[in-house]
Amino acid sequence: MSQHIAKPRTTAVILAGGTGQRVGLSIPKQLLKIAGKAVIEHTLATFESADSIDDVIVLMAPGYVPDVEKLVAKAGFTKVKKVIEGGSTRNETTERAIVALGEGLSEGEDLNVLFHDAVRPLLSRRVIDDCVAALERYQAVDVAIPSADTIIVTRKHGEDGEFITEIPDRSRLRRGQTPQAFKLSTISHAYEVAAGDPNFVATDDCSVVLKYLPDVPIHVVAGDEYNMKVTQPVDVFITDKLFQLASTAAPEQIGEDAYRDLLTGRTFVIFGGSYGIGKDLAELAESYGANVYALGRSTTGTHVENPAEVDDALSTAYAETGRIDYVVNTAGVLRIGKLAETDSATVEEALKVNYLAPVQIARASHKYLAETEGQFLLYTSSSYTRGRAEYSLYSSTKAAMVNLTQALSDEWAADGIRVNCINPERTATPMRTKAFGEEPASTLLSSEAVAGTSLDVLLSELTGHVIDVRQQDPTAGAVKASGFEQALAALLARQGDM
C-alpha cells in the first residue's frame, strides 16, 4: 500500500527593503498609499486570499518593521508569521529570508518559497497558483511576459554618446517579473555556492540559480501586464488609476439565518429610499429585522440637497434607535443634454443632488458611524470611467463618487468606518425609465439584484472598493481573470453602457 506524501508548505516572502527615493518620497514606497491602502497592504491581501499560500514573511526596510507589524495586525492578515528587517542589498535580504525559512525545519524537510516584490501590488492569484503548480515539477520558476518593445544593446563612445551594437530577436526576449519561486533547498544551495565568489552580485534570485547552479532548469510562467512595479513617479499614478478601475467582486451571499443574526436591531438610514434600488434595499433589510429609515423626496419629503433635512433624518433615527450602523445614498438625478445648452438651474440641481448631497451626508453621518464602526455606501455609474457627450454633469459627478469613496475610506479608517461604492450596470429604475423610456427588460439589471449585492457589501469587511454588479460574469466557464483583466474588459463593455 503506497504512502501518501504530503505536499510541502508554500511560503511567500515579500521583499520590501526598498526606499522611496526614486518616487520622491521620504518613506519607503511600499508604505505609500494607493487606492486607500499602503502598497504593501494590497500585496499582502493578494497572498492572504491565495489558497495555494500557507504563510507569509515580510522583509522590511530597516527602521520600518513596527509600521508593517501594525498594518498586519490592523488588517488581520493571519498568514503573516514574521516581519523582519531586510538587508542593505537585494541579495542580503534574500539571504536573511533563507535563514528565517530554515528555522524550525526538520532534517530533509523542504519548502516551496515565492519571492515577491512588495511594490508589485497588482499581482493576480492566477500567477501565484501557476508558480506553485510549476514547483511540483521544477526546482526554480520565474515569471515573465513578452517584450512589446524592441530591445537594443548600446555602447558608449566617449563624449559622442551611445551607439547601437546589437538588436536581439524580440521574439525570444521576455520581461522578468515576480514572484520567483524555488524549492528552498535549491535557492539555499545557489546562495551557498555564490558565497564563494568574491565578485558575487545579483539583482534577482533566478540569476543566482542560473549562474551558480547551471544544471537546474528555470521554468517560465506567464506573467501579466498588470503586474507592474511601482518604481517611478508615473507608476504611482498608473497603479492608482488601475486600482480605481478594478472593480471588486461582490462578497458571497450568506444564509438566511446569518442575515437575520447580523441585521436584527441594526439601523439603516437610506437616502433615496422612495423607489428603485433604495426602496428595494430598505425592504430587504427590514425583512431581516433591521430598523430602516427610507427617506425620499416623494415619500418623507426629505431633500438630500438640504443639509438641515439630512441632519434631522439622522438625528431622528439615532434618537429612536440609539444607533446608526449603515448610511446609504442612492439619491440622484440624471439630466441629459449638451452642457452649453443646459440652463443654470439644471446644472445647479445636478451638482447639489449628485455631488454636494453625498458630501453633506458623509459629514453628517461620520459621528454616528464612528460610534458603531459602521459603513457608508455610495453609488456610481458605469459612465464614471469615461465622460461622454451629453452626460457631462452625470458622468463627472459619478466619477467624483468613486474618488470620494476612496478618500473617505482612507480618512475614516482610524475610526473603524468602512466606505464602499456600488457600480451597477444599466439598471431598471424609475430614474432610468424617465430618462430613456421603456427598454427591453432582458437588457437591464434588476434593482432587486443591486439591492441584494448592496446588502452583502454592507455586511462585509470591504472598504475603499468599487463593486461591480453586472448581469453576467464575463469569466464564467473560463479561467478566472485577474481583477485588472476584468477591469479592462469591463471598461470596454461600458463604452456602450449608460
Side-chain angles (χ1 to χ4, degrees), residues 335-351 390-394:
R335 300 289 182 258
I336 303 171
K338 295 179 180 179
L339 185 62
E341 299 171 3
T342 303
D343 59 73
S344 297
T346 300
V347 172
E348 186 175 352
E349 177 198 37
L351 294 177
E390 300 191 18
Y391 292 86
S392 57
L393 291 172
Y394 188 71

Side-chain angles (χ1 to χ4, degrees), residues 116-438:
H116 184 68
D117 297 324
V119 289
R120 291 185 186 269
L122 309 185
L123 176 67
S124 71
R125 279 183 282 178
R126 192 272 301 169
V127 171
I128 295 173
D129 293 343
D130 285 355
C131 286
V132 176
L135 286 176
E136 294 179 11
R137 294 187 58 191
Y138 305 100
Q139 299 176 55
V141 178
D142 203 355
V143 172
I145 58 175
S147 175
D149 298 317
T150 296
I151 304 300
I152 61 175
V153 180
T154 67
R155 180 177 296 171
K156 191 171 183 179
H157 290 272
E159 295 181 357
D160 292 334
E162 291 182 291
F163 295 84
I164 295 176
T165 60
E166 183 183 354
I167 302 178
D169 179 4
R170 189 174 69 185
S171 67
R172 297 183 58 210
L173 297 177
R174 300 290 182 269
R175 290 159 50 201
Q177 299 182 330
T178 63
Q180 293 184 331
F182 310 91
K183 294 295 184 183
L184 178 59
S185 57
T186 299
I187 192 66
S188 297
H189 186 203
Y191 270 88
E192 287 171 3
V193 177
D197 181 356
N199 299 316
F200 167 59
V201 63
T203 57
D204 74 298
D205 299 308
C206 278
S207 64
V208 180
V209 174
L210 182 66
K211 182 174 182 178
Y212 297 103
L213 299 180
D215 294 332
V216 174
I218 303 173
H219 180 69
V220 178
V221 161
D224 62 49
E225 291 285 350
Y226 320 102
N227 188 17
M228 61 182 291
K229 189 175 183 180
V230 180
T231 303
Q232 303 295 339
V234 68
D235 300 330
V236 177
F237 174 80
I238 293 171
T239 304
D240 192 62
K241 287 302 176 184
L242 281 173
F243 269 113
Q244 186 184 70
L245 293 175
S247 302
T248 301
E252 293 184 5
Q253 294 183 338
I254 57 179
E256 295 288 308
D257 291 340
Y259 280 121
R260 190 166 297 279
D261 289 342
L262 291 170
L263 291 172
T264 298
R266 299 294 189 269
T267 298
F268 283 67
V269 178
I270 302 174
F271 295 95
S274 297
Y275 53 80
I277 297 168
K279 181 175 183 292
D280 292 333
L281 176 60
E283 293 176 352
L284 187 59
E286 201 166 38
S287 73
Y288 289 118
N291 304 308
V292 179
Y293 292 78
L295 307 157
R297 182 177 304 186
S298 61
T299 52
T300 61
T302 305
H303 297 73
V304 292
E305 64 272 31
N306 187 326
E309 293 183 19
V310 169
D311 286 337
D312 287 345
L314 290 166
S315 61
T316 297
Y318 184 79
E320 293 179 357
T321 66
R323 61 187 302 138
I324 295 177
D325 300 274
Y326 307 107
V327 176
V328 180
N329 181 51
T330 67
V333 293
L334 174 57
R335 300 289 182 258
I336 303 171
K338 295 179 180 179
L339 185 62
E341 299 171 3
T342 303
D343 59 73
S344 297
T346 300
V347 172
E348 186 175 352
E349 177 198 37
L351 294 177
K352 281 185 174 180
V353 175
N354 291 349
Y355 180 69
L356 288 179
V359 169
Q360 297 288 9
I361 293 169
R363 294 177 65 210
S365 300
H366 176 269
K367 63 180 179 182
Y368 302 110
L369 295 175
E371 191 174 296
T372 58
E373 295 191 347
Q375 185 173 157
F376 183 46
L377 187 63
L378 293 166
Y379 289 77
T380 186
S381 159
S382 56
S383 64
Y384 85 86
T385 58
R386 179 175 179 266
R388 294 181 63 179
E390 300 191 18
Y391 292 86
S392 57
L393 291 172
Y394 188 71
S395 295
S396 59
T397 54
K398 288 304 178 182
M401 290 306 97
V402 173
N403 285 302
L404 182 62
T405 295
Q406 293 172 334
L408 289 182
S409 69
D410 188 8
E411 190 174 318
W412 291 358
D415 300 313
I417 304 173
R418 288 158 290 128
V419 186
N420 291 296
C421 190
I422 301 293
N423 177 35
E425 66 173 343
R426 296 177 298 175
T427 306
T429 64
M431 183 179 75
R432 182 173 182 86
T433 301
K434 183 178 179 181
F436 297 101
E438 293 295 332

Side-chain angles (χ1 to χ4, degrees), residues 428-472:
T429 64
M431 183 179 75
R432 182 173 182 86
T433 301
K434 183 178 179 181
F436 297 101
E438 293 295 332
E439 299 171 280
S442 61
T443 66
L444 301 177
L445 190 65
S446 72
S447 58
E448 292 87 354
V450 180
T453 298
S454 300
L455 189 63
D456 291 327
V457 171
L458 288 167
L459 294 176
S460 76
E461 292 303 314
L462 294 175
T463 188
H465 289 271
V466 179
I467 296 89
D468 249 351
V469 188
R470 305 185 70 80
Q471 283 185 294
Q472 296 180 344

